[in-house]
Amino acid sequence: MGIGFTIVIWGIIFSVLAVVLGILTALGVRICCKPKGRGQKMVLAFLTPGLAIFVYAVCSVLYMAMISIVFHVDLGIGDSWYVPLNKVYSLSSVDYPENGSITKGNEVVLAPVTKVQVVGHRVIGKGEQKYFIFDLNTGKVSYAASVQMLQKQMHLAKIDLVDNNTFYWEKRKTAYIIGGVLCLMITLLVVVGYWKVALYSTPMGIQSYRQPMTS
């Protein structure tokens, strides 16, 4: 799917989710809150899930765009996947991570690639039926008929190939976890600020805010 189509689909999903959660939240306020000011709080509660989803989605897209630029990975939405293997070569896929290939710019130099492991300046992995060794310095590739032969050619005690999807996630998981926490914190701050401003900007809110405390 293209980026535009993906955004439209997720926009529809998030809109439906915001409405459903808004109705449930408003009903919860109606049940739990006292009659005084309950109508206003129900409106705020109905709008809160939509606001939270919108803020989190915008923050996520902006953060993913920054990660894409800094780490030279795909944006995280759309139909293309890619992460760098070094400054020249990348592991790329279209539509699904299983449709992997090693690319140099827009040129496919080795395909298919279903599992990979980076060992120094070489990438070892599995295609449809063969195992391969790709030299990132020279661009040369050699093949092995079995994982045992691959292990022998690489002089490794253990081969630890991972599927493309796992490799993509390992390359970006730290940055994405940090981004998820930051986006969640920003969303919470916006929602809290929204409630404070909305409640205290009304005449009833201003009056209760200014009312002196009595002993």
Side-chain angles (χ1 to χ4, degrees):
M1 294 186 296
I3 292 179
F5 184 74
T6 302
I7 291 175
V8 170
I9 292 298
W10 279 110
I12 295 172
I13 294 172
F14 287 152
S15 297
V16 173
L17 182 62
V19 171
V20 172
L21 292 178
I23 293 172
L24 294 176
T25 307
L27 288 175
V29 169
R30 179 176 177 81
I31 294 171
C32 299
C33 289
K34 296 179 180 179
K36 185 177 181 180
R38 186 167 59 188
Q40 180 193 10
K41 291 178 181 178
M42 287 181 63
V43 173
L44 296 180
F46 175 78
L47 297 176
T48 295
L51 174 65
I53 291 172
F54 175 78
V55 172
Y56 191 90
V58 171
C59 289
S60 296
V61 170
L62 293 176
Y63 185 82
M64 288 190 295
M66 182 184 69
I67 293 299
S68 177
I69 294 171
V70 173
F71 293 98
H72 306 288
V73 299
D74 61 89
L75 187 59
I77 55 177
D79 58 358
S80 63
W81 308 55
Y82 58 89
V83 290
L85 296 169
N86 65 358
K87 293 182 179 180
V88 178
Y89 297 98
S90 300
L91 177 65
S92 305
S93 300
V94 177
D95 291 332
Y96 302 101
E98 304 84 55
N99 302 332
S101 60
I102 294 177
T103 57
K104 182 180 180 181
N106 294 323
E107 177 189 0
V108 176
V109 296
L110 179 62
V113 176
T114 58
K115 293 184 177 182
V116 291
Q117 178 184 352
V118 178
V119 183
H121 62 89
R122 289 179 290 186
V123 179
I124 60 176
K126 188 177 186 301
E128 284 184 325
Q129 297 179 352
K130 295 181 179 179
Y131 294 89
F132 64 82
I133 303 171
F134 184 82
D135 194 309
L136 294 170
N137 291 338
T138 64
K140 294 182 179 180
V141 60
S142 58
Y143 295 94
S146 66
V147 68
Q148 290 79 12
M149 292 184 65
L150 179 66
Q151 185 174 351
K152 185 176 180 180
Q153 291 182 40
M154 289 294 297
H155 305 288
L156 292 175
K158 182 181 179 182
I159 297 294
D160 190 21
L161 300 177
V162 297
D163 60 79
N164 296 345
N165 196 39
T166 301
F167 187 80
Y168 289 132
W169 175 242
E170 289 294 329
K171 280 285 186 176
R172 66 186 80 188
K173 69 176 181 180
T174 301
Y176 271 39
I177 291 172
I178 293 172
V181 173
L182 288 175
C183 292
L184 182 60
M185 291 174 62
I186 292 172
T187 301
L188 290 175
L189 289 173
V190 170
V191 169
V192 171
Y194 159 75
W195 273 81
K196 285 186 176 181
V197 170
L199 289 176
Y200 291 125
S201 63
T202 60
M204 182 180 297
I206 294 174
Q207 182 178 359
S208 61
Y209 180 74
R210 291 180 177 178
Q211 186 177 3
M213 296 181 62
T214 57
S215 57

